[in-house]
Amino acid sequence: MSERRFDFEIVVVGAGPAGLAAACMAAENGKRVAVVDDTPWLGGQIWRGQQARPLVPQAQKWIERFRRSGATLLDRTSVIAAPRAGVLLAEHANGPREIHWDKLILATGARELFLPFPGWTLPGILGPGGLQSLAKSGWPVSGQRVVVAGSGPLLLAVADGLKKLGAKIVSIAEQAQWGRVAGFGATLLAHPAKLAQAARIKWRLLGVPYRCGVWPVKAEGDTQIRQVTLTDGQRSWTEACDLLACGFGLAPNVELPLALGCELLEGFVWVDAWQATSAAHVYCAGEPTGIGGADCALVEGQIAGHTASEHKAEAQALFQERSRWHEFRSALARAFALRAELKSLATADTLVCRCEDVSLGRMKQFAGWRDAKLQSRCGMGACQGRVCGAAAKVIFGWGMESVRPPVLPARIESLISVAEKESAEGGKASTGSECRAPALREYEN
Amino acid sequence: MSDQIELRVNGKSIRVAGGTVVAAAIALAGVSCFRKSVLGEARGPLCGMGICMECRVTINAQPHCRSCQVLCEEGMEVRTDE
Amino acid sequence: MSQTYDIIIVGAGIVGAACAAECARAGLKTLVLDRGPVSGGTTAAGMGHIVVMDDSEAQFALTNYSRRLWMELRPELPAEVEYDSCGTLWVAADGEELAEVRRKQAFYTERGVRVEVLDAEDIRSAEPNLRPGLAGGLRVVEDAVVYPPCAARFLLDQSKRHGAELRTSVTVHELLGDGGVRLADGSRISAGRCVSATGPWSPALTPGLPVRKRKGHLVITDRHPGFVRHQIVELGYLKSAHSMGKDSVAFNIQPRQTGQMLIGSSRQFDAEDTAVDQPILERMLKRAIEYLPSLGRLSSIRVWTGHRAATPDKLPIIGPSVVGDRVWLATGHEGLGITTSLGTGRLLADLLLGRRTEIPASPYSPARFEGAKA
Ligand SMILES: Cc1cc2nc3c(=O)[nH]c(=O)nc-3n(C[C@H](O)[C@H](O)[C@H](O)COP(=O)(O)OP(=O)(O)OC[C@H]3O[C@@H](n4cnc5c(N)ncnc54)[C@H](O)[C@@H]3O)c2cc1C
Ligand SMILES: Cc1cc2nc3c(=O)[nH]c(=O)nc-3n(C[C@H](O)[C@H](O)[C@H](O)COP(=O)(O)OP(=O)(O)OC[C@H]3O[C@@H](n4cnc5c(N)ncnc54)[C@H](O)[C@@H]3O)c2cc1C
Ligand code: FES
């Protein structure tokens, strides 16, 4: 039988740049460290696929450093609950896992923000980051016509990546105005490496139209997308394509932090200068604390790793570097702020909740998220509102609410912890036969 | 490529390179509908990173597996909604 | 002073909604207030099993009466109420529990409730995913399942058609002896009578009311259509006799029209928080897996908790409060309030209007606790 119970001094959730950096620091400082990740890959979304085919030197450097650090990797392990202080329940293909920690570093990253527009549920419409990830893992893009749309610097990076894999990039549509994007380009002057990277990408994408102030309004197709209609607010036109990569920036993954009791500030996990959250012995680094990109995540991860392993001086030495990246983070948010038109792309019969197929018109009948959820089932499906809740926040200004276990859908057996003795809390081990518990001669509903 | 893996998608045999995710294998098999939605619409992957649940398929008789998070293995049986 | 109503109903859960529907239909000028959205309290957290029960004659009378009202209402219910007459299957693990099946059969048959006894083989074919070797069971044919939040909204919509008003996000601070209410912002609304249908929170408005919060956990699965076909409940509680008041779990599973399943159930006193209690959740799930061995492999998507409004004699509290004839109560429905909401609404309206009630109302009268209280 595979191992089920794990004990570490420091547990890091997420194997992206923030998580890897945190784990490296903590392990190099002599702690027993594990990194837990849902996926079979190291490197999170951005560096996925770098193990097999090292391309980015920075990724290669950190992955190698992680390998040498002595930290353990628990991959394909999704954390589903935090039943009590110091314990995470997780699910692995081979069965449930129970992971014990003294200090916990959350580096759960971000997901893409999807906004509904007519036709957006057609197969062949994916998030840019999502398509990039899948393409690195074998999804066929060679020879495919791809329109890249939405917002953020990711659009260019993805177009570049897909082109390298043989895709034909039809065009790139950035919803932000050119003036703002150009202004952002100017802030890159403070980050020469980023500027050089951007310049290289632009060079490789020569000949591909990059249009600012343009966004998608409609997708059409039979069994999958065939064409997308774009607009600049004045004029609309259609572009034929096989794939549409469309996402409107990133939204932080705060479900696990919330489950651990971490407080949020304006939608992001609140942390102090040491990357400590409001929950005891729980730290957070990277996108859940603010969308700042891989370099920002690396610095925050290092700080969190040092703090959690009681190397405060080393942590403090990185504060200045972090503030530079926090400026970059603010510039990013300003430049790619979403335009108001995006709130009204969906029509009454456009589905907003894709798990339960709830239309905008149905959701509109209700006053708030919880009312709409209880009456229309929006947000009740398998993704638990990760997609439609984020969209409803933009469209209606509705706040999402409480997180419940499992943090990700999980087999029922995974909700039962491994160490039965302990969880019976003072009592005896509850074995199957001993849990013939019901005491009352009464119907139990 | 040397490290080829053979699996079945809706009963059809397909060979993929090592490191391929099940979602990609499904696409390579020419299948665009991963699951049928509540109202019967065809759906395929959206997020590619395990959060949207649109890519759920049945893998080795286990329903509702996120195909974007699972690597192909020799002899795997994958079923989509048809 | 704002406006005058014949009756103000505090609480837009299923019980308040059923009371509103009956009052408005009877021509009373009705106002419904809730501090949250419609059915945001226990009604959002319960299972929605419409079930006839036999713990006591009074419990039987109210559940049977209410189930009849549900069956009469059924043709009018919109699809989102998900009324499904899947029936209840009480399962007996062994001979001792089979004796309980026979007792129940006799009880129900005598009173005109349709039931069928299943032997070991019948139960295998009725529910193939149940573990082999169960002794048999009792199918209560006309029991059903609904989706409570939409049922409550439907009842409120009905009341609005008869002129009732609904205001949400309004907190009531006090029920006034003259039938009006005082709101959290200090303002008053006057009315001939007020009804507290505030479920587990009712003691806050009526101090001394013997209603206690009894916590329950539920797990909802992803869609696995056909895995179970009935609401299945164990008779295993017979085995463990005493320890009244202690935490308990029992196997109870419900198929939803969506193909999902709701898995219960647990009961805990002195657990006022809404957090998931891992040890009791585990006990509950292990119990379910004992009955349905392959359940463990199915996918779960959410676990939540709710609080039942429990009374000492397990019967609800319906009628004028001891404060006087202007403050009424409709609370204390424990784990049966979805079922008994319709009977409660009808009884309350009949009592208010001095009409003859179809079943005796005295077993549910608030007056029964008067002596017990200081
Ligand atoms: C028959 C049935 C089927 C269901 N099926 C599904 C399903 O398929 N999928 C699903 O996801 N759910 C389902 N539900 C459950 C439902 O969506 C809710 O989850 C349920 O209302 C209870 O959930 P909760 O405790 O998680 O509360 P939530 O719905 O999360 O609501 C909690 C409320 O409490 C408030 N709150 C939280 N903390 C505090 C505080 N400290 N102080 C004050 N207020 C606070 C929140 O703002 C929120 O309004 C179903 C319910 C029923 C009755
Ligand atoms: C786990 C569980 C499973 C269950 N399963 C079943 C089942 O299968 N079948 C069944 O029949 N029953 C079941 N029940 C019981 C059923 O859910 C309840 O009996 C029923 O929902 C009670 O409805 P209610 O309207 O009295 O209370 P609630 O739905 O709690 O409504 C009370 C309302 O009052 C409001 N309120 C409270 N105080 C104030 C105030 N001061 N001002 C304004 N508004 C206020 C609240 O916001 C709330 O909306 C179950 C319960 C639980 C917890
Ligand atoms: S594509 Fe979103 S979970 Fe797999």
Side-chain angles (χ1 to χ4, degrees), chain A residues 4 14 78 90 103 112 152 197 232 270 307 310 358 361 363 420 432:
Chain A
R4 301 198 145 193
S78 9
K103 301 268 173 69
E112 291 178 277
Q197 188 189 350
D232 59 9
W270 176 89
T307 314
E310 289 117 34
V358 185
M363 286 171 74
E420 293 172 359

Side-chain angles (χ1 to χ4, degrees), chain A residues 356 370-371 374-375 377 384 404-405 410 412-413 415 417 423 430 432 437-441 443-445, chain C residues 40 49 53 103 147 214 223 240-241 249 252 260 265 274 278 282-283 286 290 296 298 300 302-303 308 335:
Chain A
E356 297 293 321
R370 188 159 144 82
D371 199 13
L374 286 172
Q375 298 296 329
R377 297 190 53 85
Q384 287 285 294
R404 287 289 199 180
I412 286 165
E413 64 192 13
L415 291 171
S417 33
S423 60
S430 47
L440 301 169
R441 195 204 161 282
Y443 169 57
E444 304 276 342
N445 60 351
Chain C
H49 185 198
M53 293 297 307
R103 193 200 60 75
Y147 177 60
R214 204 165 186 202
R223 293 167 192 252
S240 38
V249 299
N252 183 341
Q260 296 172 282
S265 65
T274 57
Q278 184 69 19
E282 292 182 11
R283 276 171 60 191
K286 282 182 192 158
E290 275 181 52
L298 304 193
S300 63
R302 190 176 180 93
V303 183
R308 306 171 184 89

Side-chain angles (χ1 to χ4, degrees), chain A residues 307-319:
Chain A
T307 314
S309 49
E310 289 117 34
H311 278 59
K312 286 207 155 185
E314 286 90 331
Q316 198 160 13
L318 292 160
F319 283 7

Side-chain angles (χ1 to χ4, degrees), chain C residues 122-173:
Chain C
D122 299 335
I123 207 151
R124 279 295 276 169
S125 57
E127 292 290 355
N129 286 311
L130 279 174
R131 73 163 188 260
L134 293 168
L138 185 78
R139 178 192 278 144
V140 185
V141 181
E142 287 168 315
D143 282 354
V145 161
V146 294
Y147 177 60
C150 286
R153 172 158 309 253
F154 166 77
L155 292 167
L156 285 166
D157 285 346
Q158 251 194 349
S159 74
K160 284 194 221 165
R161 252 177 272 127
H162 290 104
E165 276 178 54
L166 165 70
R167 291 191 217 157
T168 52
S169 306
V170 175
T171 302
V172 172
H173 251 202

Side-chain angles (χ1 to χ4, degrees), chain A residues 277-293:
Chain A
T277 71
S278 63
H281 311 301
V282 180
Y283 304 82
C284 188
E287 315 283 51
T289 69
I291 306 301

